[in-house]
Amino acid sequence: MLPAVVMLSGCGLDISSDEDTATQSSVTAEPTVQIAGAAVKGVIQQGLVVANRLIADKDGYYAPQRQAAKPVLTADDGSYEWQLRGKAEGWALVELTADGGTRMICDVVPQCDQADGAPVSFGQTMPLDSSFSLRGAGDLRMETVNLTPLTHLAVTLAERSGDGLSPVAISSAYTTVENWFGLPAGALRLTPPDLTNLDEMTGVTADAIQVAIANAAFLALVNDNAQWDSISDVLADVTLQVSATGQISVMGDGTNVALADLVSAAALQSSELQNAVDSSVISQRLAVVEHRNVQRFKTIADVNEESDTDVADSGDTNDTSTDTSTDTSTDTSTDTSTGSTDEQVAGTTEPDTSGDSTSGGDTTTDTTTDETVADTGTDTDTSEPVTETTPEETAPANTALLSWTAPLTRENGESLAMGEIAGFEVVYGTSAENLDQSLAIGDASVDELMVDELAEGTWYFAIRTLDTDGNRSRLSDVVYKQI
């Protein structure tokens, strides 16, 4: 029971102990949780940020619980902090708007064009119009919510859910947008680095750089394009597409922004940035990002050629491959419909340690990409030829290029359509018996993956296939590369 503070008034008597007053104060104090993050498209300074909890109504529909509160301003590095009343539980929506004092650093090489003003040089600040806004959402237990064009699209996509901005809808939308742009899983939770200051960030990963460049692509489309006067125009067009259809036009119709436009612009910016940085480490990572975007563009073009459709809610591919591989890169071509990965690694031989653990239903996909073996039944060994890398493909020495062929049958002999394959999972590590790292690929059409930033030593790789029913194949044979 809580002690009560008894107030006796009358006859000039007012009794209240100091101890009771302190207790009352502690009982009424409301807990708070801090949300922090950064607003980057480039870096946005003096942007107005407000955060609100996402609360479900009696029907289970999630919407922001808006409260009257003064916005906080982003700092010179784009960061913000917001104190939200209540416990560190549930999810929150964070929104940024611009006013006359808001500025953005131009993160496009060599400059950012403005419809009503002179071009702004790379690394210099430029104003944002009052219609500019960004949104992001996240779990309050994580306490970090970044605000970028990509998170903005994800929130827009999540709003199409029948449950509103529910945790499930937000998580799914974040994954879908990552897949659209060929980003690794969880990339939208990474804080994008300032692309104008990469030489000072030798520890930044290729994944984080890729996210930053994908966001920069929205502004890059304004350059030399009379159709788009500002970043707000580009973002509004894509947001409207996602809101209306849950998709982005793949190749465009001459009117709307296309996914291919954005990925192509990202590839070009990756190339331009290599000439703008002095650090060889950063230059190598930019080369990796450039190739990822080139490969993503090729995939988009292939998909469009095969079926003239848009990128749907389920996403397209999560292609983090790079073709910048050297003669010593692992080329693990998977053999169709068996679990073996036939790989050639600079004259070395591969250990024959195929995995046999499986999960899923009785009909796990034999979606064996030359690496995945389903756990059901017999496996038919119809190996595809090993894919060789060409001498022109030069990659950083600390990378491994993996390739495979998607399976045509399950291990039990049943046929397997591409539409039944949800994607692949590459697992790797410094021991063939302990493949403790993994990368997810959310598209059956992807057949290459560049694994970068590998430390010196021998690295071992295997792959499994995932089907649309949630079944997983056994791991393929293990292949390796010496870094």
Side-chain angles (χ1 to χ4, degrees), residues 214-226:
N215 288 303
F218 288 79
L219 182 56
L221 290 187
V222 178
N223 287 2
D224 301 319
N225 192 331

Side-chain angles (χ1 to χ4, degrees), residues 393-414:
E393 297 173 328
T394 57
N398 63 343
T399 63
L401 177 63
L402 311 177
S403 64
W404 57 89
T405 303
L408 301 176
T409 60
R410 297 180 184 272
E411 192 175 356
N412 63 3
E414 295 179 359

Side-chain angles (χ1 to χ4, degrees), residues 306 314 365 367 406-408 410 415-424 442-445 465-470:
E306 293 173 6
S314 58
T365 71
T367 65
L408 301 176
R410 297 180 184 272
S415 63
L416 179 68
M418 287 295 289
E420 296 178 285
I421 301 176
F424 311 104
D443 191 337
S445 66
T465 303
L466 315 176
D467 76 0
T468 53
D469 292 327

Side-chain angles (χ1 to χ4, degrees), residues 28-110:
T28 58
E30 188 175 9
T32 61
V33 57
Q34 176 178 285
I35 305 174
V40 180
K41 196 321 335 100
V43 171
I44 297 174
Q45 304 170 337
Q46 302 299 296
L48 288 69
V49 176
V50 174
N52 290 287
R53 287 182 181 273
L54 292 167
I55 304 297
D57 62 18
K58 60 182 179 61
D59 298 320
Y61 186 87
Y62 284 78
Q65 185 183 49
R66 301 190 182 277
Q67 302 171 352
K70 183 179 180 180
V72 299
L73 298 178
T74 57
D76 287 346
D77 62 356
S79 63
Y80 75 89
E81 292 182 358
W82 180 276
Q83 297 293 331
L84 194 62
R85 294 196 302 270
K87 297 180 180 180
E89 58 187 25
W91 286 57
L93 175 70
V94 184
E95 302 176 82
L96 175 142
T97 55
D99 65 8
T102 306
R103 295 291 182 269
M104 178 178 67
I105 296 178
C106 170
D107 58 351
V108 174
V109 180

Side-chain angles (χ1 to χ4, degrees), residues 148-190:
T148 70
L150 297 185
T151 66
H152 187 79
L153 295 185
V155 171
T156 302
L157 180 58
E159 285 179 323
R160 292 171 50 83
S161 163
D163 296 329
L165 291 174
S166 68
V168 171
I170 294 169
S171 297
S172 175
Y174 267 59
T175 298
T176 296
V177 173
E178 288 166 351
N179 290 337
W180 284 349
F181 288 85
L183 297 167
L188 264 62
R189 301 295 181 188
L190 299 175

Side-chain angles (χ1 to χ4, degrees), residues 197-247:
N197 196 33
L198 287 177
D199 282 325
E200 306 301 321
M201 305 178 183
T202 54
V204 68
T205 65
D207 290 348
I209 294 174
Q210 186 179 0
V211 173
I213 290 176
N215 288 303
F218 288 79
L219 182 56
L221 290 187
V222 178
N223 287 2
D224 301 319
N225 192 331
Q227 186 176 2
W228 314 113
D229 290 338
S230 68
I231 174 64
S232 294
D233 288 346
V234 175
L235 193 55
D237 179 272
V238 182
T239 302
L240 184 62
Q241 290 185 56
V242 173
S243 179
T245 67
Q247 305 169 354

